[in-house]
Amino acid sequence: MLISLVVPCYNEEEVLDRFHARVTDEMLGLGHAFEIVYVDDGSADRTLPLIERLAADDPRVRYVSFSRNFGKEAAMLAGLQHADGDAVVLMDADLQHPPELVGRMLQEHSRGYDQVVARRTRTGDRVTRTVTARAYYWLINRLVDVELVDGVGDFRLLSRRATDAVLSLTEYNRFSKGLFAWVGFPTTTFSYENAVREQGSSAWSFGKLLNYGLDGLLSFNNKPLRAALYLGLLLTSLALAYATWIVGVALVRGVETPGYVTLLVVVTALAGVQMVLAGVVGEYVGRIYYEVKRRPHFLVKATNARPHRTLPEPEPEPREFVRR
Ligand code: UDP
Ligand code: MG
């Protein structure tokens, strides 16, 4: 059995050598054939030369380097495409995903699980982050169709068929947490203590996290659109009720001129609501815009490998309609 490790790397020069040494050690101990697919996500530091050196020293190292930073989702996609293994393990380069756990994943995999997910506990996280995460998962699980679990990230093992299934999802906006959940297949989860990042800094700013969260919300269904519709209906009925009341009062007591504040509040509030709703619709239109462009998910600058699993060819253009 061949195990592929897929490792997205963005500016990881400080940890890369250590990561490689530890992972190689660990994998040699497990006694399976393995390969490591490094994906350099357009790093600005010496990550690529380091990877190239690793590849020169070790035939088990394959790498793909992007022409610029395309984001972790694209990096994982490239890694999966280039991974040849019967099982693929996705892990971060910053040693936050303990390599010791790969053995455990393989054990679970041999019991027939297609996805073995390592779920990190939130020990050591800032309280604010923990609370926001809780709230987010509570909300998102009410809104999307797939089940998303707090602490579950990309550190997981995928069987060959699960990998192929993920690769068959060719959408441009990739929210892999959701894609993995969507794919299904027998899945098992175990917990591990979260390790604090050893070197460098997380590339996740608050704004990025917020956008990521929003992506998750919007990539999986059209419930936000549905919610917008309901909100519109609710506001319309409120407005109708209020109008009836005003007219009633006017009939009984005559027209009262004061009402400037009410008017202003209602107008601005409604304008705000409409902007939000237009924004929701716009988000979906924007997604369609990106999908129809059919741009590649990433561009390769350097590699020592060929993709073994390519995405399916796009549908052929429809034949010209026959006019009758
Ligand atoms: N990463 C990437 N492209 C990016 C950002 C991050 O390939 O644009 C990689 C990064 O090198 C690391 C993994 O994704 O291996 C997780 O990134 P990070 O540690 O910054 O995220 P966190 O651990 O905070 O979720
Ligand atoms: Mg990290």
Side-chain angles (χ1 to χ4, degrees):
M1 192 162 103
L2 176 71
I3 317 293
S4 301
L5 299 175
V6 167
V7 190
C9 310
Y10 179 53
N11 295 342
E12 300 285 5
E13 61 177 6
E14 286 153 332
V15 275
L16 203 66
D17 277 331
R18 234 156 7 107
F19 172 86
H20 187 75
R22 259 185 74 184
V23 161
T24 315
D25 250 22
E26 194 59 38
M27 293 307 295
L28 287 174
L30 292 175
H32 286 288
F34 69 95
E35 61 172 7
I36 308 180
V37 184
Y38 287 107
V39 184
D40 163 41
D41 186 9
S43 302
D45 65 357
R46 293 181 45 252
T47 300
L48 177 60
L50 282 179
I51 294 176
E52 281 170 338
R53 211 198 54 223
L54 289 176
D57 293 347
D58 185 347
R60 288 170 299 217
V61 172
R62 322 240 306 268
Y63 67 92
V64 185
S65 174
F66 289 174
S67 61
R68 63 166 172 86
N69 180 238
F70 280 91
K72 189 185 177 191
E73 299 288 341
M76 287 194 297
L77 176 69
L80 290 177
Q81 277 178 12
H82 287 80
D84 220 4
D86 304 299
V88 180
V89 177
L90 287 163
M91 62 196 303
D92 287 359
D94 57 5
L95 286 171
Q96 278 186 305
H97 296 164
E100 305 85 77
L101 295 179
V102 174
R104 168 120 186 237
M105 288 180 164
L106 286 170
Q107 257 174 31
E108 300 282 337
H109 175 56
S110 66
R111 291 203 203 124
Y113 288 106
D114 285 88
Q115 294 200 47
V116 185
V117 186
R119 174 178 193 263
R120 76 187 186 94
T121 58
R122 288 211 172 263
T123 28
D125 266 16
R126 261 176 296 136
V127 187
T128 40
R129 179 115 183 226
T130 315
V131 172
T132 346
R134 287 256 165 78
Y136 175 67
Y137 282 99
W138 179 85
L139 178 73
I140 199 165
N141 277 315
R142 258 145 206 84
L143 290 174
V144 301
D145 303 325
V146 292
E147 162 90 13
L148 299 179
V149 186
D150 185 9
V152 160
D154 305 314
F155 187 25
R156 62 179 69 214
L157 176 147
L158 299 172
S159 67
R160 183 74 261 166
R161 64 173 178 172
T163 308
D164 288 343
V166 170
L167 288 177
S168 72
L169 306 177
T170 58
E171 59 218 72
Y172 191 80
N173 294 284
R174 298 186 78 76
F175 183 71
S176 54
K177 256 185 206 207
L179 297 181
F180 294 139
W182 188 90
V183 159
F185 290 122
T187 302
T188 180
T189 304
F190 64 84
S191 293
Y192 70 98
E193 189 87 4
N194 178 37
V196 179
R197 199 178 220 283
E198 293 200 7
Q199 229 111 66
S201 61
S202 170
W204 288 94
S205 61
F206 177 75
K208 268 194 177 178
L209 271 179
L210 196 69
N211 280 324
Y212 184 70
L214 212 59
D215 274 343
L217 213 66
L218 295 170
S219 341
F220 268 85
N221 58 22
N222 59 0
K223 276 191 195 162
L225 285 176
R226 186 57 59 84
L229 193 67
Y230 282 134
L231 184 62
L233 286 175
L234 178 75
L235 285 176
T236 314
S237 21
L238 282 180
L240 270 179
Y242 187 56
T244 319
W245 187 68
I246 294 274
V247 171
V249 169
L251 286 178
V252 177
R253 286 199 261 159
V255 178
E256 292 177 3
T257 13
Y260 175 70
V261 176
T262 329
L263 209 63
L264 206 66
V265 168
V266 169
V267 168
T268 45
L270 281 185
V273 169
Q274 286 186 359
M275 297 283 256
V276 171
L277 300 193
V280 171
V281 177
E283 277 288 335
Y284 284 95
V285 176
R287 266 147 226 277
I288 297 169
Y289 172 66
Y290 278 111
E291 296 295 339
V292 296
K293 283 209 258 195
R294 282 182 176 275
R295 289 209 176 147
H297 294 80
F298 52 82
L299 292 176
V300 175
K301 174 175 72 181
T303 179
N304 70 346
R306 289 186 162 275
H308 289 256
R309 315 274 159 177
T310 42
L311 296 174
E313 288 290 306
E315 306 254 315
E317 291 288 316
R319 300 240 175 107
E320 275 180 41
F321 292 105
V322 182
R323 280 251 172 80
R324 284 176 191 274

